[in-house]
Amino acid sequence: MITENIDRIEERILKACERAGRKRSDVLLICVSKTKPDEMIVEAYDHGQRNFGENKPQEMRDKAARLESLKDINWHMIGSLQKNKIKYVVPTAVLIHSVDSEELALAINKEAEKKNVVSNILLEVNIAGEESKHGFKKEEVLPAVMELAKLKNLKIRGLMTVAPETKKPEENRVYFKDMKDLLVDINSKNIDNIHMDCLSMGMTGDFEIAVEEGATIVRVGTGIFGERNYEV
Ligand SMILES: *Cc1c(COP(=O)(O)O)cnc(C)c1O
């Protein structure tokens, strides 16, 4: 089932790229494996997938340790991160998507310095201004980037958003456009150390629209691994 699901999602990403005049290689698919067992991850890996997303620091650390023999697997942290859990994701995660405050970024920089690595991060933007969502407000992003650009053990690679839940993915197009505009705008300021090349947006319900609007990373869980059961 997982292999068929991946093929179907791959096909839809390809079509969305074609519609937008983009290359398939410009979009990275992350298989969001949170709550799912190792066997499913291995099945996706054996079918060619190399990028996996987790939202719980310890779960990521434990899966990464158990699947250590898969040398070229990449772990992405996509869930909200508390400061005392940073040690579990630095340096395991190739990219931390969910940096939602300057304070958190400073703490990641500190842990990365301690471990003598550079952490790749994205700033999470609450692009629709939802009450319930984490992330920087749109107008807070540029000042944050200017501040964080000076840190030696952080590399700000781009922006991430979780668009509103909706039955009509077309409704999120405006937010994906806003994200792209924000990225282009910040890049145009030519801030030292800053060239953002990642735009992480689009999930099972709306990834095609996100690709059409410039996503370079899409995060698909349900569409690949099926519904999640948080009870078990
Ligand atoms: C769970 C999750 C996803 C995947 O969601 P699906 O709708 O299952 O594709 C993507 N991004 C984040 C931040 C998530 O927490």
Side-chain angles (χ1 to χ4, degrees):
M1 182 195 81
I2 289 172
T3 57
E4 286 88 347
N5 288 348
I6 290 171
D7 291 347
R8 219 169 296 134
I9 299 285
E10 280 288 355
E11 182 64 24
R12 288 169 60 189
I13 294 173
L14 181 65
K15 287 270 156 60
C17 284
E18 286 170 0
R19 283 196 296 279
R22 303 182 63 199
K23 293 198 301 264
R24 171 63 189 89
S25 57
D26 290 342
V27 181
L28 182 74
L29 170 61
I30 296 183
C31 304
V32 176
S33 49
K34 62 189 185 193
T35 80
K36 299 295 181 182
D38 296 354
E39 303 81 76
M40 287 190 169
I41 296 173
V42 172
E43 194 176 339
Y45 180 91
D46 287 341
H47 200 55
Q49 296 301 311
R50 292 294 179 270
N51 291 278
F52 294 85
E54 293 285 338
N55 69 339
K56 297 244 162 47
Q58 281 112 320
E59 186 176 342
M60 164 178 291
R61 175 200 57 182
D62 294 347
K63 283 175 168 167
R66 290 195 303 266
L67 298 172
E68 206 188 9
S69 63
L70 310 178
K71 291 289 177 221
D72 57 351
I73 199 167
N74 294 318
W75 297 100
H76 295 256
M77 184 65 211
I78 62 171
S80 76
L81 188 55
Q82 287 165 329
K83 279 197 279 175
N84 60 346
K85 306 271 174 71
I86 291 170
K87 55 181 184 283
Y88 302 135
V89 303
V90 174
T92 305
V94 295
L95 184 61
I96 304 172
H97 295 228
S98 40
V99 179
D100 58 5
S101 69
E102 284 188 41
E103 205 188 358
L104 178 62
L106 288 167
I108 294 170
N109 181 66
K110 204 165 156 195
E111 181 70 16
E113 190 178 0
K114 201 169 107 188
K115 292 182 173 158
N116 202 22
V117 294
V118 173
S119 282
N120 288 301
I121 66 164
L122 304 180
L123 299 184
E124 179 169 355
V125 185
N126 183 358
I127 196 69
E130 292 174 283
E131 204 70 57
S132 60
K133 287 267 167 74
H134 291 267
F136 291 89
K137 296 192 189 112
K138 195 168 151 180
E139 63 275 16
E140 293 170 342
V141 181
L142 177 61
V145 169
M146 291 173 77
E147 201 50 44
L148 299 172
K150 302 164 194 153
L151 300 175
K152 295 275 179 289
N153 294 78
L154 278 191
K155 176 101 190 109
I156 305 177
R157 296 290 307 275
L159 306 178
M160 176 270 214
T161 198
V162 178
E165 256 200 63
T166 171
K167 294 232 165 359
K168 299 185 192 138
E170 197 55 52
E171 291 179 350
N172 282 339
R173 188 179 295 277
V174 56
Y175 300 122
F176 296 142
K177 274 190 204 290
D178 277 357
M179 286 292 293
K180 172 80 188 198
D181 289 349
L182 184 59
L183 186 98
V184 169
D185 182 50
I186 293 173
N187 278 336
S188 76
K189 309 283 183 203
N190 292 318
I191 303 163
D192 273 355
N193 277 327
I194 298 294
H195 177 77
M196 303 196 295
D197 57 354
C198 295
L199 196 49
S200 172
M201 58 188 193
M203 306 175 21
T204 296
D206 56 17
F207 68 89
E208 289 155 302
I209 311 280
V211 168
E212 286 171 18
E213 297 305 331
T216 67
I217 304 177
V218 293
R219 311 176 308 264
V220 179
T222 312
I224 291 173
F225 297 112
E227 295 289 334
R228 286 176 293 272
N229 182 353
Y230 289 98
E231 254 75 294
V232 292

